[in-house]
C-alpha cells in the first residue's frame, strides 16, 4: 500500500510558465519600453516597429536578434504576438489600439489613450466585449519614488484632510511643438500630452474623481510657428469629495522639464522642488520644513511594464488599470473642451 506521506510530483511545478511575446511600435520613448519587457523573466520582445527605416535600424542595432518591421499592421496582425506597446505619434494611438484589441492583444499605450471622446468610448466598448484583453497606459509619475512616498503619507493620515492640490507641467522643450511631429499633426493637445501626467497623479493621490472643470489657454510662447493650438493651459478642478485643484501645462516655459506639485492638507503641505521637495508641518515661520529627498523623477519610462506583464499573467488589474486610464482621459477631454469653449464643463464618464 503506498504511504500517504510519499511525495508526489507537483503538476503545477512541471507546467512550463507561460511566456509572453511582446512588440513595440514607435522607437522614440518606445525604446525604453523594450527594456521594460526584457526586464521581465516571462517576456520576450520579438518585434520592433518604426515607419522610419533609419530609426528602426538605429534602435534595432541595439537589440540584435529582434525582428524589425516598418509597418505597424505587420505587428498588430501577427497572431504570434501577445502584447503590444503603442508608442507611435498621438494621432495613431486610436487606430493601433482598435486593431490590437480586434486581434486579441494586450495593449500598453503611451499617453494619451486617444484624441476624442468618441474614440475613447469606442475603445471602452471594444474592451467591454473582450474582457480578457488588458489595457494600460504609461502614466509614469505613479512610479516616481517621491510621489509614492507622498501617497503613503497621505494614506497614513499625515496630511489630515486634503483640501487643495496644484500641479503644473513645465515641458521645457518648446522646440518639440515648434518643430517635429507634435506641431505637424492635425491636432495636438498639451493637456493630453503633458498635463495628463499631473491629472493622473492628482486622481491617484486623492483617490477621488474630478467632476467639473474650467480652463483657459493661450498660444503666446509658440506664436508665429507651425504650432496652431494652445501651448499653455490652466484649469480649475472640482473634486467629488470637495477638494479643489488647479492643473496647468506650459510647453513654452523657460526652465528645464519639471512637474510642479503642491498638496495641501489640514495637517501638512508638500511642495515638489529641485533637487528636493519640502514638507511643511507647521504654520510657524520659525519651524523649518523637512526636505523630501526621495528620487524624482527616479523611474525609467518602462517602469510600469513589469507590473503590466504580471497583471496579464495573473489575470489581475495592472498598476495603471483601464479604469484609471479612462478616468484620467475623461478629465483631459473636459479641460480641452472648457479651454476651447470658455465654459465650465462637467467631466463625463467614458461609458
Ligand atoms: N509617458 C511619457 O512620459 C512619454 C514621454 C515621451 C513620449 N510619450 C508619448 O510617446 C509617443 C511617441 O512620442 P516620442 O517622444 O517617443 O516621439 P518620437 O518622435 O521621439 O518617436 C516616435 C517614433 O515613432 C515612430 N512612429 C510614429 N508613428 C508611427 C506609426 N504609425 N507606425 C510606426 N512608427 C511610428 C516615429 O517614426 C518615431 O521614430 C507620443 O504619444 C508621446 O505622447 C510619452
Amino acid at each position: 500500500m503506498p504511504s500517504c506521506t510519499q511525495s508526489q510530483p507537483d503538476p503545477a511545478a512541471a507546467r512550463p510558465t507561460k511566456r509572453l511575446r511582446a512588440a513595440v511600435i514607435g522607437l522614440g520613448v518606445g525604446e525604453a519600453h523594450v527594456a521594460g519587457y526584457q526586464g521581465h523573466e516571462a517576456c520576450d520582445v520579438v518585434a520592433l516597429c518604426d515607419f522610419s527605416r533609419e530609426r528602426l535600424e538605429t534602435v534595432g542595432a541595439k537589440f540584435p536578434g529582434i525582428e524589425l518591421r516598418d509597418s505597424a499592421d505587420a505587428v498588430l496582425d501577427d497572431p504570434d504576438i501577445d502584447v503590444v506597446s503603442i508608442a507611435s505619434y498621438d494621432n495613431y494611438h486610436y487606430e493601433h489600439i482598435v486593431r490590437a484589441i480586434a486581434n486579441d492583444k494586450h495593449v500598453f499605450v503611451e499617453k494619451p489613450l486617444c484624441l476624442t471622446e468618441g474614440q475613447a468610448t469606442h475603445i471602452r466598448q471594444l474592451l467591454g466585449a473582450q474582457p480578457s484583453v488588458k489595457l494600460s497606459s504609461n502614466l509614469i509619475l505613479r512610479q516616481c519614488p517621491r510621489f509614492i512616498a507622498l501617497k503613503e503619507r497621505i494614506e497614513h493620515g499625515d496630511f489630515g484632510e486634503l483640501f487643495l492640490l496644484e500641479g503644473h507641467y513645465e515641458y521645457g522643450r518648446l522646440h518639440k511643438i515648434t518643430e517635429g511631429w507634435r506641431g505637424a499633426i492635425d491636432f495636438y493637445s498639451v493637456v493630453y500630452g503633458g498635463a495628463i501626467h499631473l491629472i493622473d497623479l492628482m486622481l491617484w493621490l486623492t483617490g477621488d474623481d474630478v467632476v467639473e472643470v474650467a480652463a483657459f489657454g493661450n498660444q503666446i510662447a509658440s506664436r508665429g510657428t507651425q504650432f496652431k493650438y494652445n501651448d499653455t493651459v490652466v484649469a480649475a478642478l472640482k473634486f467629488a469629495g470637495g477638494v479643489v485643484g488647479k492643473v496647468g501645462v506650459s510647453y513654452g516655459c523657460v526652465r528645464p522639464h519639471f512637474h510642479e506639485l503642491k498638496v495641501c492638507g489640514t495637517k501638512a503641505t508638500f511642495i515638489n522642488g529641485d533637487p528636493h521637495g519640502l514638507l511643511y508641518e507647521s504654520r510657524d515661520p520659525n519651524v523649518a520644513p523637512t526636505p523630501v529627498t526621495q528620487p524624482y523623477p527616479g523611474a525609467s519610462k518602462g517602469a510600469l511594464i513589469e507590473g503590466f506583464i504580471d497583471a496579464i499573467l495573473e489575470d489581475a488589474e495592472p498598476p495603471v488599470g483601464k479604469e484609471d486610464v479612462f478616468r484620467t482621459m475623461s478629465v483631459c477631454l473636459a479641460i480641452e473642451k472648457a479651454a476651447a469653449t470658455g465654459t465650465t464643463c462637467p467631466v463625463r464618464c467614458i461609458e
Side-chain angles (χ1 to χ4, degrees):
M1 217 167 126
S3 152
C4 307
T5 56
Q6 195 177 332
S7 68
Q8 299 291 320
D10 174 8
R15 205 181 300 138
T17 314
K18 177 170 167 48
R19 296 194 68 78
L20 291 172
R21 295 162 60 85
V24 177
I25 300 171
L27 299 175
V29 72
E31 185 177 342
H33 295 208
V34 181
Y37 290 112
Q38 288 184 327
H40 197 291
E41 58 183 8
C43 191
D44 300 309
V45 179
V46 296
L48 300 180
C49 168
D50 202 297
F51 60 18
S52 155
R53 197 71 221 175
E54 192 187 338
R55 183 79 72 104
L56 186 61
E57 282 168 12
T58 307
V59 176
K62 300 180 197 173
F63 302 100
I66 301 181
E67 203 179 308
L68 305 182
R69 301 179 186 173
D70 58 13
S71 145
D73 289 352
V75 168
L76 297 165
D77 293 345
D78 183 340
D80 290 332
I81 290 172
D82 305 300
V83 47
V84 64
S85 260
I86 298 172
S88 48
Y89 301 154
D90 296 8
N91 54 316
Y92 293 112
H93 291 184
Y94 167 70
E95 66 185 61
H96 288 169
I97 292 169
V98 168
R99 201 157 180 142
I101 298 173
N103 287 314
D104 221 15
K105 299 191 192 321
H106 305 289
V107 176
F108 187 80
V109 61
E110 267 303 343
K111 52 78 200 165
L113 175 76
C114 58
L115 296 177
T116 68
E117 189 178 333
Q119 291 176 351
T121 303
H122 187 214
I123 293 168
R124 166 71 104 185
Q125 287 163 352
L126 294 176
L127 289 172
Q130 259 166 288
S132 62
V133 169
K134 305 283 181 204
L135 178 137
S136 184
S137 189
N138 206 13
L139 298 166
I140 192 63
L141 289 185
R142 294 187 190 207
Q143 290 289 300
C144 166
R146 192 175 296 172
F147 297 148
I148 291 171
L150 173 63
K151 184 168 168 62
E152 284 167 2
R153 277 183 185 274
I154 293 169
E155 286 172 352
H156 188 249
D158 297 358
F159 278 76
E161 191 177 348
L162 297 185
F163 56 86
L164 170 69
L165 274 82
E166 295 182 7
H168 201 91
Y169 184 93
E170 313 282 14
Y171 193 58
R173 293 165 294 191
L174 182 63
H175 66 277
K176 289 212 178 192
I177 54 172
T178 58
E179 303 154 32
W181 64 266
R182 289 173 176 80
I185 60 178
D186 284 348
F187 172 67
Y188 184 83
S189 160
V190 295
V191 175
Y192 307 169
I196 190 168
H197 283 296
L198 283 157
I199 292 163
D200 180 67
L201 189 66
M202 290 179 176
L203 294 173
W204 180 65
L205 288 173
T206 59
D208 200 3
D209 288 320
V210 173
V211 290
E212 192 172 358
V213 304
F216 298 96
N218 68 39
Q219 201 212 332
I220 295 170
S222 62
R223 185 190 288 138
T225 72
Q226 68 162 355
F227 193 67
K228 298 290 174 264
Y229 298 93
N230 286 328
D231 56 52
T232 295
V233 174
V234 174
L237 314 174
K238 180 178 165 189
F239 287 77
V243 174
V244 290
K246 189 180 88 185
V247 70
V249 51
S250 174
Y251 274 37
C253 252
V254 182
R255 68 173 292 189
H257 190 74
F258 189 70
H259 303 93
E260 282 184 359
L261 180 69
K262 180 162 142 187
V263 176
C264 300
T266 50
K267 288 191 193 165
T269 299
F270 166 84
I271 300 177
N272 196 28
D274 183 12
H276 54 71
L278 293 173
L279 182 71
Y280 292 85
E281 291 174 285
S282 171
R283 296 182 179 95
D284 183 342
N286 299 311
V287 177
T290 310
V292 179
T293 56
Q294 291 93 355
Y296 157 87
S300 81
K301 298 281 189 195
L304 281 165
I305 289 177
E306 183 178 358
F308 180 57
I309 296 298
D310 284 341
I312 296 169
L313 293 170
E314 293 159 16
D315 192 19
E317 266 309 281
V320 177
K322 66 173 186 291
E323 296 308 324
D324 300 320
V325 179
F326 285 112
R327 275 167 79 223
T328 297
M329 197 67 225
S330 65
V331 178
C332 292
L333 288 161
I335 291 175
E336 190 64 44
K337 189 170 172 187
T341 58
T343 56
T344 58
C345 287
V347 176
R348 292 178 43 157
C349 282
I350 294 162
E351 292 171 324

